[in-house]
Amino acid sequence: MPHLLDAAAVRTWCALALDALGRAREEIDAINVYPVADGDTGTNLYLTVESAARAVDAVFDGHATGGTTAGAPLVPGLPDTIRAMAHGALIGARGNSGTILAQLLRGMAEVIANPPAPDTPDASADDAELLRTALRRAVASAYEGVARPVEGTVLTVAAAAAEAAAGAPGDAAAVARAADEAARSALARTPGQLAVLGRAGVVDAGGLGLVEVLGALARALSGKSSAGRAPRPWQRPPVPAATAAESCPADPVAGPAFEVIYLLEADDSAVARLRTRLDALGDSLVVVGGDGLWNVHVHVDDAGAAVEAGIDAGRPYRVRITHFGSAAGTAPDTRELVQRAVVALVPGEGLAELCTEAGATAVAVRPGEPPASGELVEAIRRAHAREVVLLPNDPELRHTAAAAAEQARTEGVRVALVPTRSAVQGIAALAVHEPGRRFDEDVVAMTAAAGATRYAELAVAERQSWTMAGICQAGDTLGLIDGDVAVIGGDLCSTAETVLDRMLAAGGEMVTLVLGEDVPDTLAERLERHVRGGHLAVDTVLYRGGRQSPPLLIGIE
């Protein structure tokens, strides 16, 4: 039965698209020959959609905890859901095709989140016209984001889909099916539009990924929660396992040597100047986003210059630089594998530096932007070890870490996940890490150290809410002990003292304090005096969390 274009349909779309890209990932990677034959387009698209799906799930989870209406859980509206999908794709976009897909979704969100007044009381007709308009805006937005558009690529496939949708009669499901069918036909024509595809005998990899995403949309709106493998009318026979990428290996002389990607906080005028500057440095330039947050992708020979351009424009972060020789397998990593490494997820740049100094591979986590499992797999690869201990340091990231661990195991890495729930538990685990021990013994010791560390966090309430400690108001200081709100206070210092007293009443030998960037040294000194004054045998250790860390983390061992 056809579904309306609502929040539930968007969530279903995300889930179906992620499933479809997961099944097609290897096939898409195998035919990836343009713009660089680095064999990662399927993986990049999967990670982009995974980030979008996580953002949508987070919006639904946030509403589910807000109570019920007439006994039913609260659900988000369509505007919030589609914006979350677009934002998740933007911050998680990978590679050329992933970045373009993120902009396509952003273009759709601009229309769907701000619909015009309905022309008719028929909701299905309004949904259909909304989808037609959204697809047109998506294509226009994507072309705006690409510095030098090339036909025979994902852009061509998207344009064909939007054109077919514009003339399709019926409800939103019929419009989506028309877009899907036109995209498949356009994809089949791409080998004749782009010479490199014709020589390799394949269709455009990014276009194939978009076909999977549009097919998922059609199924979501048609009420089909699953479907068999979509027909491949473009394959003459199927691409052999040797892969098209191997038949068109990356040539370091033929194009830039590096792919540079980063998120950028900057205003529109600075981004306009950045586009001009990066376009002169290399090719495959895609700059997408808006409202102060952008995703920048470019292929260059001078990676440092591309990053410096971003620094001049605003504040770049999550910078990823990939050498195409390594990505395509032409320059394998010849470093000797280390026996064991630790990969730790941490909130804040200061903690990331601390973990790095202790020998771990650190993944800095920004508030509201949880990493995708692919980022953790990359971190495990960077650790370049036979054995890896993974510290998620957040209960919300445990499933993501488990998925990354499973993927790494398929690549021959022995991975153990220590279920740390806070950065202070991760610090305790890292403190007893001993690479010379047997792997199992080391994991047991680290797990025991983490488990013996009670943890607390101080945060500022954003709105009025019910908590385990009563009703809090916006601006109140919340003291969370072992994940639950236990204290509601008026200021950081007094609330922290109350939290410390409650935790130390159960015993403890050492207090770890991790202070946020804006917390003054005087607060740390006062808390140290407070601990000494009431608990003479307890030592205090102080760290700075730096940018993006919570105001205060507390650990009691």
Side-chain angles (χ1 to χ4, degrees):
M1 179 178 177
H3 284 215
L4 291 176
L5 180 58
D6 57 13
V10 171
R11 192 181 199 186
T12 301
W13 178 22
C14 285
L16 292 175
L18 190 62
D19 178 67
L21 286 170
R23 287 184 282 108
R25 181 182 60 80
E26 291 185 2
E27 177 189 4
I28 298 172
D29 282 346
I31 64 171
N32 174 202
V33 298
Y34 182 84
V36 175
D38 48 358
D40 64 357
T41 293
T43 299
N44 288 338
L45 287 167
Y46 178 87
L47 294 175
T48 302
V49 173
E50 181 186 44
S51 182
R54 284 177 59 89
V56 169
D57 286 343
V59 169
F60 271 81
D61 292 344
H63 278 72
T65 59
T68 61
T69 299
L74 293 174
V75 296
L78 176 58
D80 287 345
T81 306
I82 196 71
R83 287 193 195 101
M85 182 183 187
H87 180 74
L90 176 68
I91 65 175
R94 299 297 189 88
N96 191 70
S97 294
T99 309
I100 293 173
L101 175 61
Q103 190 69 353
L104 287 167
L105 295 177
R106 179 180 174 83
M108 293 185 70
E110 289 175 357
V111 172
I112 294 173
N114 302 284
D119 294 329
T120 169
D122 184 351
S124 63
D126 290 336
D127 279 356
E129 184 56 33
L130 191 64
L131 184 56
R132 295 185 191 101
T133 305
L135 288 170
R136 285 197 300 270
R137 176 58 194 145
V139 172
S141 182
Y143 271 90
E144 291 166 5
V146 178
R148 300 177 185 275
V150 174
E151 297 307 317
T153 65
V154 62
L155 292 172
T156 307
V157 175
E163 182 178 357
D171 58 14
V175 172
R177 287 194 297 271
D180 177 35
E181 292 167 3
R184 294 178 188 281
S185 297
L187 180 64
R189 295 191 294 270
T190 57
Q193 297 169 313
L194 197 56
V196 65
L197 302 179
R199 288 195 298 271
V202 298
V203 295
D204 180 64
L208 175 53
L210 180 60
V211 161
E212 297 292 351
V213 173
L214 290 174
L217 175 61
R219 294 197 301 278
L221 293 177
S222 299
K224 298 178 181 179
S225 60
S226 62
R229 185 180 179 83
R232 273 16 184 194
W234 50 82
Q235 287 189 354
R236 290 190 283 271
V239 176
T243 80
E246 290 173 355
S247 69
C248 297
D251 180 356
V253 177
F258 297 98
E259 177 184 60
V260 178
I261 306 174
Y262 50 80
L263 292 177
L264 177 70
E265 293 176 355
D267 59 37
D268 290 2
S269 60
V271 170
R273 294 191 296 272
L274 176 67
R275 291 179 193 271
T276 301
R277 186 168 170 184
L278 290 179
D279 193 32
L281 287 176
D283 58 30
S284 297
L285 173 61
V286 185
V287 181
V288 301
D291 301 322
L293 180 62
W294 308 83
N295 191 306
V296 179
H297 170 279
V298 67
H299 295 173
V300 293
D301 283 320
D302 189 342
V307 175
E308 288 172 6
I311 294 172
D312 290 343
R315 192 178 79 82
Y317 59 97
R318 285 199 186 182
V319 179
R320 293 189 295 272
I321 300 173
T322 303
H323 186 273
F324 284 125
S326 299
T330 59
D333 192 338
T334 57
R335 291 180 299 152
E336 183 178 353
L337 288 170
V338 298
Q339 183 59 33
R340 189 175 309 155
V342 176
V343 174
L345 284 70
V346 289
E349 297 171 0
L351 284 177
E353 292 176 4
L354 174 68
C355 291
T356 300
E357 291 171 0
T361 297
V363 179
V365 179
R366 289 170 56 89
E369 297 180 8
S373 62
E375 291 182 60
L376 307 191
V377 173
E378 287 185 2
I380 292 171
R381 291 169 181 154
R382 289 200 309 272
H384 205 59
R386 297 182 180 89
E387 302 167 339
V388 170
V389 182
L390 185 56
L391 307 176
N393 295 334
D394 185 335
E396 298 296 325
L397 296 177
R398 183 173 179 181
H399 293 302
T400 302
E406 189 62 33
Q407 174 62 34
R409 291 184 189 114
T410 67
E411 299 177 8
V413 183
R414 188 180 185 187
V415 183
L417 175 63
V418 176
T420 48
R421 302 173 65 84
S422 170
V424 290
Q425 288 191 330
I427 292 171
L430 194 55
V432 301
H433 168 55
E434 178 51 65
R437 271 192 296 231
R438 289 179 53 247
F439 185 64
D440 292 338
E441 292 177 353
D442 199 28
V443 171
V444 168
M446 295 176 73
T447 303
T453 303
R454 286 166 291 142
Y455 63 95
E457 176 181 338
L458 271 72
V460 178
E462 297 180 355
R463 59 185 178 275
Q464 184 187 65
S465 181
W466 289 89
T467 75
M468 297 288 289
I471 301 176
C472 70
Q473 304 296 329
D476 284 346
T477 300
L478 307 180
L480 292 83
I481 299 178
D482 294 335
D484 293 322
V485 176
V487 180
I488 300 174
D491 65 86
L492 187 65
C493 191
S494 61
T495 307
E497 290 175 342
T498 303
V499 169
L500 283 166
D501 289 340
R502 289 197 185 184
M503 297 179 75
L504 288 170
E509 298 176 355
M510 186 170 72
V511 173
T512 299
L513 301 175
V514 181
L515 277 67
E517 180 182 32
D518 298 326
V519 176
D521 292 335
T522 53
L523 175 64
E525 294 166 0
R526 176 173 165 178
L527 294 179
E528 285 184 289
R529 288 196 303 269
H530 182 80
V531 172
R532 285 198 306 268
H535 310 276
L536 295 177
V538 178
D539 295 324
T540 303
V541 178
L542 175 67
Y543 299 109
R544 278 284 177 183
R547 290 172 60 91
Q548 308 302 331
S549 69
L552 181 65
L553 297 175
I554 299 173
I556 306 289
E557 300 178 52

